[in-house]
Amino acid sequence: MTTRKRWITSLSLWLALPMIAFVVSINMEDGLQFATRGYWLTATTVASEAVSVTGVVAALGATWEASRLRRARVLAITSRNRLLVVAETLVPTVVVVLMGTLVSYAMMATIALGAPGGPAWHVIAVNLAALTGILGWGLFLGFALPPTLALAVCLASTYVWYFVTAGSGSFPLWARYLSGGFLGDPSVWGAVDPRALGAALVSALGLAAAGLCAVLLRDRGRALLAGPLAVVMAVGVGCWVARPLDHHPVVPRTGIECDAPVGGVTVCLWPELAADHEALVSEVVRQHRTFSALGLEPPSTVSAAMEEPEGSMWIPLVPRADPRPVVAAGFVEAFMPAALPDSCEDFPENTVVTVLAWLRTVAQTPDHEEYRASIPAEPARYLDGVLDLPPRAQGEWYLANRPVLETCSPDPDTLDPRHFEAGATS
Amino acid sequence: MPQSIVPVTGLTVREQVAYHGWLKGMSRAQAWKDSGEALRQANLTDLADRPSGKLSGGQLRRVGLAQTIVHRPSVLLLDEPTAGLDPAQRSAFREILNGLAVGDTVLVSTHQTSDLSGLFDSVVVLNEGRSPFTGSADAFLARATGGGDSLERRAESAYASVLGEAA
C-alpha cells in the first residue's frame, strides 16, 4: 500500500481536524482559563485531559484498520510479522493522535514556560500508555466484531470510558482516573496521586493486552476469550487501586527548601515562586508580625508546602501572582478553618462571615472593603465593634470564636465584641 | 490462493496486488514493480486502476491469482479457484493458469471435475479422508466408463468410477 493511499484511506485522517478543533476548544475554555500558571505539573496534567478526544480517535482509527485487515484476512496470509503488518496500518492513526496530543501539550506549555523544571514526564508516559491502551481496545474490537458493529461498539465504549465515567453520577468519582485523563489540576503545593497514575497505567496495559491477543493469537476463540479477560482483570485492579481516591487525586508535594530565618520567621518557598522570592519573604514576615501582634502566635516557620516542615504554617502561595495580595489571602486561609459541611443543622453563619471579614481586614486583602460592604448588617456591626478593640483584644475575640467555625453550632455569645472590651482594658 | 478473495477496502486492483506482495515479504518498491507483471499474467492490466471492491466474481478470482503469484512462489496452492464461476469464466481462468510463468508446482483443490484439463499432470482423489486414486491425469481418465470424447464428461465418469470402486 502506498503511503499516500494508506493515509487517505485512514479514518483517523478524516477525524484529525475535528479532533484538533476539540482539543483546542477544551484547552481554551478550560485549561488555559483555570489551570495554575507557572507549574509544569499542572500544565502537563491538564494537557493530558485531551486524551478524552484523542483516545476516541485512536480507538476508532484502530477499529477501522483492524476491520479492514480482518475482512481481507490479511493476517492469515501474511508471511511478515503480524505486529509489523498491524503497526504499518496504524501509522496514520498514531501520527494523528500524537499530533492532537502535541497540540494539547503545546497549548498548555504556554502557561508554564519559564517555570523551573520541565514537563512532568511520568504524566506524559501514563498519557501515552493510555493512548496505547485504547488503541489496543480498538484493534480488539476491529478484529473481533463485524466492521459496522465494531465501530458502533468502539464509539459507545469510548464514550462511556471517557465521558460517562467522568460526567455521570452513576459512576464513582474515582472511575474517571482509569482512562488516563482527568488527573487533576494540582496547585504548586500538590502532586498527582500516584494511585491515579497507577490505576490508569494498569487499565491501559489490560486494554493493550486485548489488542495484542487479537493480533497475535491465531485461534480466534482464544483471542475472544483472552482479550476481554485481560481487560476485566486490569480494569478490576485499576478500580482497586483508584477506589480510595476522591474527586481531586492530589497529594501534598514534598521537597520544599527553607531560607534562613528573617526577623525570627523562617520562610519556605517552592522553586516556582523564586521570581518573587524577596517580595514574598518580606510580605510573609510583615503579615506574620501583624498576626503575632494580635496575639495569634503563628508558627515561626511559614511554608508554601502543605505538610513540611513539620509544625510549620501552610499558606497557599501561587506563582506569577502579585505577592502582597497572595500572601494576604494565604494568611486568611491559614487562619480560617475549612468550610463546614452542608449537612450542618445549626450553622454559625454570622460567626463565619464576621471572622472572615475581620481576617481579610487585618491582612488587608485587596477585596476586604468590598467584602465588608457585602455582608449583612449584623456581622458588619460586629466587625466594626471588633476593629474598634485594641489589637490584643481582637486576637482574643478571634481565638474565642474560632472553635465555633469548626462545629455545627449556632452563633455563640462571644461573637459580640462587647464581651472583650473589659478584658482588653484590664 | 484462498477460495474467496476479499478486497482490501479502498485499494485499487494494482495496489491490492502490490500490498499482497509486501505482505509476502517483498520490499514496497519491488512489490509495486512486480505487481504489473502479475496483473499482466492474470490478464488484469486493463483493470489495474479500478477499485478492487468493484470487480465481478471472475475478476476478483484473477486478482486473487495475481496477488498469489506477485512474489513468484515456487509452489502455488489454489483452493477451489473456479468455484462460483460460469463455464466461460472457468475456461478463461484455466487458460490464464496455463499461461502462468511462475511456479514449479501448481496444486489445485477442486470439486469441479471439469477443471481437469490438459494442463494437469497428476490427479489425487480424496474421499472421506482417504485417497482412492493417485496417478497421472491420463491414468485417471482411463478409469472412465463413458463420456465419449468430452473431456469433462470423461473426467466425471472417471471420478464416479473411482468412488464406486472405493465403496
Side-chain angles (χ1 to χ4, degrees), chain A residues 5 68 77-80 88, chain B residues 9-10 22-23 26 28:
Chain A
K5 179 60 70 132
R68 285 211 296 179
I77 59 169
T78 185
S79 58
R80 287 188 183 273
E88 193 260 356
Chain B
T9 314
W22 179 82
L23 287 173
M26 301 174 81
R28 248 178 250 288

Side-chain angles (χ1 to χ4, degrees), chain A residues 58 147 162 180 270 310 363 393 410 423:
Chain A
Y162 289 117
W270 296 112
E310 200 174 339

Side-chain angles (χ1 to χ4, degrees), chain A residues 145-157:
Chain A
L145 302 172
T148 311
L149 181 62
L151 284 170
V153 171
C154 179
L155 198 59
S157 59

Side-chain angles (χ1 to χ4, degrees), chain A residues 121 209 252 263 401:
Chain A
W121 295 108
N401 287 293

Side-chain angles (χ1 to χ4, degrees), chain A residues 188-201:
Chain A
V188 71
W189 52 86
V192 180
D193 195 315
R195 289 171 296 182
L197 296 171
L201 193 60

Side-chain angles (χ1 to χ4, degrees), chain A residues 68-74 76-77, chain B residues 1-9 11-20 23-24 39 42 44 50-70 76-85 93 97:
Chain A
R68 285 211 296 179
L69 296 180
R70 174 187 185 245
R71 188 167 169 269
R73 300 191 192 99
V74 166
I77 59 169
Chain B
M1 177 178 134
Q3 184 174 347
S4 60
I5 307 299
V6 183
V8 179
T9 314
L11 300 191
T12 64
V13 168
R14 183 164 187 181
E15 287 166 344
Q16 163 116 358
V17 172
Y19 182 51
H20 276 75
L23 287 173
K24 286 162 185 165
L39 291 176
L44 281 169
R50 182 180 289 190
S52 55
K54 293 184 176 173
L55 298 176
S56 68
Q59 289 166 338
L60 258 186
R61 217 46 76 84
R62 284 189 279 146
V63 170
L65 186 63
Q67 66 192 29
T68 303
I69 64 173
V70 64
L76 278 182
L77 301 176
L78 309 180
D79 183 15
E80 300 281 4
T82 58
L85 301 185
F93 192 88
L97 206 56

